[in-house]
């Protein structure tokens, strides 16, 4: 099925030249974004070393991480959640526009990589019911090309959702923490490597990634990194 889909995609690309998903100009470097729009995706170079929160001035840690550091060890979020990345993300996640997802995955893949790579990448799991509704796990589809490019194995079956949770977007920071508490379960029958990265599409308060990190640490993982395509500029609650 995958091969068939790839074949169709290849044929489609041969028949229809790549067009930028944002401005319809010709796509650059074999992608669905033109060079100008790809350059306009908001990068996140000046951010908290621990939680990747965009900072107005260079500082090692944000105020929140100085007071109460997250349960993960390091974060990597190469983009800020803002125009025009937010438009592509909305089309991908809520409009099921897989071409937008491919463009985002490709943009992530091209960003400078962290110095210390994990031995395993684990995407934040969706509850089976949400997966059926959406048709795909947005974190998994973003993570696959990245994992291939970094030559790090990715497993989506080792961390599971024990229960369905309400959409985080409707909740404040404390509500988000409560909402995901106890929602995840790590496979107890595998030997977890010492260094694992959990991967999500967008990090907002970090509640979901925190809960996943807590569960992985409980399963014996020594170092957990939190990876997200983009960091929303709101403070971690
Ligand atoms: Zn463009
Ligand atoms: Zn921070």
């Amino acid at each position: 099925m995958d091969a068939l889909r790839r074949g169709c995609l290849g044929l489609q690309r041969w028949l229809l030249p790549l067009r930028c998903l944002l401005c319809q100009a010709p796509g650059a470097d074999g992608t669905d974004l033109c060079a100008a729009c790809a350059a306009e995706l908001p990068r996140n170079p000046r951010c908290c070393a621990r939680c990747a929160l965009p900072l107005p001035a260079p500082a090692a840690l944000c105020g929140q991480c100085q007071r109460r550091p997250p349960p993960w060890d390091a974060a990597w979020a190469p983009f800020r959640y803002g125009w025009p990345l937010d438009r592509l993300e909305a089309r991908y996640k809520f409009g099921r526009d897989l071409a937008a997802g491919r463009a985002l995955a490709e943009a992530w893949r091209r960003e400078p990589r962290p110095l210390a790579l994990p031995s395993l990448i684990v995407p934040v799991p969706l509850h089976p019911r949400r997966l059926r509704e959406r048709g795909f796990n947005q974190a998994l589809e973003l993570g696959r090309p990245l994992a291939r490019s970094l030559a790090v194995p990715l497993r989506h079956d080792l961390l599971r959702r024990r229960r369905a949770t309400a959409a985080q977007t409707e909740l404040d920071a404390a509500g988000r923490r409560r909402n995901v508490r106890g929602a995840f379960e790590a496979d107890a029958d595998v030997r977890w490597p010492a260094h694992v990265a959990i991967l999500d599409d967008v990090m907002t308060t970090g509640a979901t990634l925190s809960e996943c990190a807590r569960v992985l640490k409980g399963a014996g993982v020594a170092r957990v990194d939190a990876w997200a395509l983009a960091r929303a500029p709101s403070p971690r609650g």
Side-chain angles (χ1 to χ4, degrees):
M1 189 59 208
D2 250 17
L4 181 64
R5 208 171 57 200
R6 269 199 302 277
C8 290
L9 197 68
L11 185 64
Q12 190 187 357
R13 289 195 160 171
W14 182 68
L15 294 169
L16 303 166
L18 290 166
R19 291 270 153 208
C20 177
L21 293 167
L22 290 165
C23 75
Q24 299 299 312
D29 303 329
T31 72
D32 292 318
L33 287 180
C34 72
C37 288
E40 214 177 326
L41 296 176
R43 266 71 179 181
N44 188 22
R46 205 167 51 224
C47 65
C48 172
R50 190 72 185 261
C51 77
L53 180 74
L55 295 175
L61 293 179
C62 72
Q64 177 74 35
C65 284
Q66 286 173 29
R67 287 189 299 276
R68 192 160 54 90
W72 65 71
D73 298 276
W76 180 36
F79 295 98
R80 282 179 289 115
Y81 189 65
W83 173 265
L85 183 144
D86 52 356
R87 187 164 149 209
L88 290 172
E89 167 70 12
R91 279 167 59 170
Y92 170 46
K93 190 167 173 177
F94 303 112
R96 299 183 192 197
D97 182 345
L98 295 181
R102 278 195 303 275
L104 290 170
E106 181 61 19
W108 193 351
R109 204 178 67 73
R110 291 173 185 219
E111 286 302 297
R113 52 186 64 180
L115 290 175
L117 287 178
S119 312
L120 179 70
I121 297 172
V122 173
V124 170
L126 281 188
H127 189 269
R129 200 172 64 214
R130 179 71 58 83
L131 186 61
R132 273 198 303 277
E133 286 164 10
R134 185 169 292 157
F136 62 99
N137 175 343
Q138 73 278 4
L140 172 60
E141 301 308 323
L142 283 178
R144 271 192 177 125
L146 181 68
R148 260 199 307 276
S149 158
L150 297 174
V152 174
L154 176 147
R155 291 285 299 267
H156 63 87
D157 53 341
L158 300 180
L159 183 69
R160 289 180 285 270
R161 286 245 180 199
R162 276 154 55 153
R163 58 179 173 80
T165 52
Q168 293 281 78
T169 39
E170 308 295 319
L171 303 167
D172 65 6
R176 286 174 183 236
R177 279 201 302 276
R178 269 197 307 276
N179 187 38
V180 293
R181 193 164 297 150
F184 300 98
E185 176 179 52
D187 194 317
D189 298 329
V190 293
R191 260 196 47 198
W192 286 88
H195 184 185
V196 175
I198 330 158
L199 183 149
D200 209 352
D201 53 344
V202 178
M203 188 194 314
T204 304
T205 65
T208 303
L209 287 163
S210 285
E211 186 62 15
C212 291
R214 209 181 54 73
V215 167
L216 291 189
K217 293 246 163 155
V221 179
R223 172 174 171 170
V224 177
D225 294 350
W227 286 7
L229 168 74
R231 182 69 160 93
S234 81
R236 206 161 50 77

